[in-house]
Amino acid sequence: MKKIQVLTDFLEANDAIALENKRVFDRHKILVLNLMSSPGAGKTLILEKTIEKVKKDFKFAVIEGDVATSNDAKRLAKYDIPVVQITTESFGGACHLDANMVRKAMERIDLSKVEILFIENIGNLICPAEFELGEDGKIIVMSLTEGEDKPTKYPVAFRNAELLLINKVDLLNHLDLNLKLLLQNAKKVNPKLKVLQVSAKTGVGIDTWIEWLKKEFQLKRKKQNR
Amino acid sequence: MKKIQVLTDFLEANDAIALENKRVFDRHKILVLNLMSSPGAGKTLILEKTIEKVKKDFKFAVIEGDVATSNDAKRLAKYDIPVVQITTESFGGACHLDANMVRKAMERIDLSKVEILFIENIGNLICPAEFELGEDGKIIVMSLTEGEDKPTKYPVAFRNAELLLINKVDLLNHLDLNLKLLLQNAKKVNPKLKVLQVSAKTGVGIDTWIEWLKKEFQLKRKKQNR
């Protein structure tokens, strides 16, 4: 029982900081999205393609989470937007970002100049799902190659997300995959989950995803202007 | 400092149980391999193809780790071998197997009738790498679709493994992937890492992987017969 108690306290402490982060984001009317996925699902490439397309419409910033390396931060820094890399190697190799790490990263960004903040979480479908960061919503990026059963195998992540971006749909014809079953499994775990199919490589579906993003941004502005 | 101390104690306790597991496995001359990967890299399909091919040559058993579902155990049970499913959902959704879970699973297998035991770890490239289970070796299964940088991004897992199985190589021509760079990154993180390219779907490379397995099995037998 003690172990569970400690875990609960730890999550509660995290959630309290997440709430503070959220207040700061809200004050600045920043839409904050927490992107979670398995390793190599294509989060960074999706962000690259998105920022490339609409960098004139929005002021973006990115907080990058990785166990090691700052490869992804370098890939995004070329768009001349604020990018802060968190590597958890120095935190015992933590398998997820937490609200305190995000708070530290926020201090290094001029939030008055940001409209949309992407938090690219560490490649892992389990631990990140448990930790609130202060975001408006969670997005799961999943590579089509990962198979039909991932929503049922990693239910917490899928249950807490607003949007599932199925990436690499250009590979559909080269896979033994039952897409219908994948969609059914996603809806079973989270009936409210919005699903979009994209290929960051070919550009398929990216416009629809950007429409979703714009709508979310407008919703956030409306809410904060009330 | 206190947090790190607790973590160290916890890992030490795990390693002590792992050592006990190893002694039991050694007494039964069982080759034990711990398979780690991202979600959906194809561990289960590789095991299916392997067991299908050489089930007459070896007595297999499998311990399956998942957060939720027993899909993979069901897939393997059809080969009429002992399969024990561990779902960590009831352990607070743990993101890895630990030595104690494996010990419990071992109690449900008649070890005198096993020659090769596969432990299919939870789909996650971070946490499982820290927990010894009592295995002879760790194998990383990686889908080619995950990209060149995974060894440098998840260094602990790659550093501790004996073998890297790059799966889904049938997709090579459909990906923007620099295979040479992937191999370089793997060797940079772990110069001793053996690398094999396979496609569980088409069967490419499966024979070479089985040769590796046979050699490891013979090595283990030799060691235990000394």
Side-chain angles (χ1 to χ4, degrees):
Chain A
M1 278 313 285
K2 198 159 172 235
K3 196 175 146 200
I4 293 168
Q5 189 54 44
V6 172
L7 185 67
T8 309
D9 290 354
F10 188 59
L11 280 173
E12 271 171 17
N14 179 78
D15 287 359
I17 300 172
L19 209 64
E20 286 170 31
N21 292 349
K22 175 106 175 64
R23 279 196 201 110
V24 175
F25 292 138
D26 284 353
R27 204 186 317 133
H28 288 93
K29 299 176 191 173
I30 302 172
L31 174 69
V32 181
L33 297 167
N34 177 2
L35 278 79
M36 302 186 291
S37 81
S38 301
K43 293 187 298 302
T44 313
L45 193 60
I46 289 175
L47 291 185
E48 287 182 274
K49 295 297 169 98
T50 306
I51 294 166
E52 226 165 69
K53 273 216 165 180
V54 285
K55 70 177 166 186
K56 283 177 190 157
D57 303 329
F58 296 107
K59 294 174 195 149
F60 289 105
V62 180
I63 295 175
E64 270 297 330
D66 279 295
V67 176
T69 82
S70 54
N71 300 347
D72 294 348
K74 281 173 201 152
R75 283 167 64 182
L76 293 163
K78 68 174 178 281
Y79 299 107
D80 204 24
I81 58 168
V83 180
V84 178
Q85 173 82 50
I86 301 169
T87 49
T88 63
E89 212 167 24
S90 46
F91 299 91
C95 50
H96 58 87
L97 294 180
D98 66 32
N100 195 43
M101 295 175 197
V102 169
R103 176 163 65 175
K104 298 270 182 212
M106 285 160 67
E107 288 168 7
R108 294 166 58 191
I109 299 173
D110 181 353
L111 295 174
S112 68
K113 291 182 181 159
V114 177
E115 291 174 324
I116 298 180
L117 173 68
F118 292 115
I119 303 176
E120 190 180 336
N121 220 311
I122 291 169
N124 180 340
L125 274 184
I126 307 167
C127 326
E130 309 264 3
F131 286 80
E132 296 294 323
L133 305 177
E135 70 270 28
D136 293 294
K138 294 178 172 71
I139 298 174
I140 295 193
V141 178
M142 181 189 157
S143 163
L144 195 66
T145 59
E146 291 171 32
E148 301 90 355
D149 59 350
K150 293 306 158 296
T152 45
K153 274 186 141 180
Y154 302 91
V156 180
F158 284 81
R159 203 176 290 139
N160 294 341
E162 321 291 317
L163 176 68
L164 168 61
L165 280 180
I166 304 179
N167 190 24
K168 309 194 190 182
V169 292
D170 55 289
L171 294 174
L172 182 60
N173 294 333
H174 307 293
L175 303 173
D176 290 333
L177 183 107
N178 185 337
L179 181 58
K180 208 176 144 187
L181 182 59
L182 167 59
L183 299 174
Q184 276 171 3
N185 283 337
K187 290 284 174 190
K188 197 161 70 184
V189 171
N190 181 353
K192 288 183 180 167
L193 188 66
K194 168 94 179 157
V195 182
L196 295 176
Q197 297 177 39
V198 301
S199 166
K201 183 183 165 188
T202 66
V204 165
I206 292 294
D207 285 340
T208 316
W209 141 246
I210 286 175
E211 270 170 45
W212 182 91
L213 190 64
K214 287 182 173 172
K215 209 176 280 173
E216 289 295 308
F217 179 72
Q218 284 155 7
L219 272 174
K220 172 90 184 196
R221 281 281 146 123
K222 251 188 218 165
K223 226 189 271 175
Q224 290 316 119
N225 286 335
R226 252 180 229 155
Chain B
M1 280 309 287
K2 197 159 173 234
K3 197 175 148 202
I4 293 168
Q5 189 55 43
V6 171
L7 185 67
T8 308
D9 290 354
F10 188 58
L11 280 173
E12 271 172 17
N14 179 78
D15 287 358
I17 301 172
L19 208 64
E20 287 171 31
N21 292 350
K22 175 104 174 66
R23 279 196 200 111
V24 175
F25 291 139
D26 284 352
R27 203 187 316 133
H28 288 93
K29 298 176 191 172
I30 303 172
L31 174 68
V32 181
L33 297 167
N34 177 3
L35 278 79
M36 303 186 292
S37 81
S38 300
K43 293 187 298 303
T44 313
L45 193 59
I46 289 175
L47 291 185
E48 287 182 275
K49 294 298 169 96
T50 305
I51 294 165
E52 224 164 69
K53 272 216 166 180
V54 285
K55 70 177 166 187
K56 283 177 187 156
D57 303 329
F58 296 106
K59 292 173 195 149
F60 289 105
V62 181
I63 295 174
E64 270 298 330
D66 279 295
V67 176
T69 81
S70 54
N71 301 346
D72 295 347
K74 281 174 200 150
R75 284 167 63 183
L76 293 164
K78 68 174 178 282
Y79 299 107
D80 204 22
I81 58 167
V83 180
V84 178
Q85 173 82 52
I86 301 169
T87 49
T88 62
E89 211 167 25
S90 45
F91 300 91
C95 50
H96 58 87
L97 294 181
D98 65 32
N100 195 41
M101 295 176 196
V102 169
R103 176 162 67 176
K104 297 271 182 211
M106 286 161 66
E107 289 167 6
R108 294 166 60 192
I109 300 173
D110 181 352
L111 294 173
S112 67
K113 292 182 180 158
V114 177
E115 292 173 324
I116 298 180
L117 172 69
F118 292 115
I119 303 177
E120 190 180 335
N121 220 313
I122 290 169
N124 180 340
L125 274 184
I126 307 167
C127 327
E130 309 263 3
F131 287 80
E132 296 293 325
L133 305 177
E135 70 271 29
D136 293 294
K138 294 178 171 70
I139 297 174
I140 296 194
V141 178
M142 181 190 156
S143 164
L144 195 65
T145 59
E146 291 171 32
E148 300 90 355
D149 59 349
K150 293 305 158 298
T152 45
K153 276 187 139 180
Y154 302 91
V156 180
F158 283 81
R159 203 176 289 140
N160 294 340
E162 322 290 316
L163 176 68
L164 168 61
L165 280 179
I166 303 179
N167 190 24
K168 309 194 191 183
V169 292
D170 55 289
L171 294 174
L172 181 60
N173 294 333
H174 308 293
L175 303 173
D176 290 333
L177 182 106
N178 184 338
L179 181 58
K180 209 176 144 187
L181 182 60
L182 168 58
L183 299 174
Q184 276 171 2
N185 283 337
K187 291 284 174 190
K188 196 160 70 182
V189 171
N190 181 352
K192 287 183 180 168
L193 188 67
K194 168 94 180 157
V195 183
L196 295 176
Q197 297 178 38
V198 301
S199 166
K201 182 183 165 189
T202 67
V204 164
I206 292 295
D207 286 341
T208 315
W209 141 245
I210 287 175
E211 270 169 44
W212 181 92
L213 190 64
K214 286 183 172 173
K215 208 175 280 174
E216 290 294 307
F217 180 72
Q218 284 156 5
L219 272 175
K220 171 89 183 196
R221 281 281 146 123
K222 253 189 217 163
K223 226 188 272 176
Q224 290 317 118
N225 285 336
R226 252 181 228 155

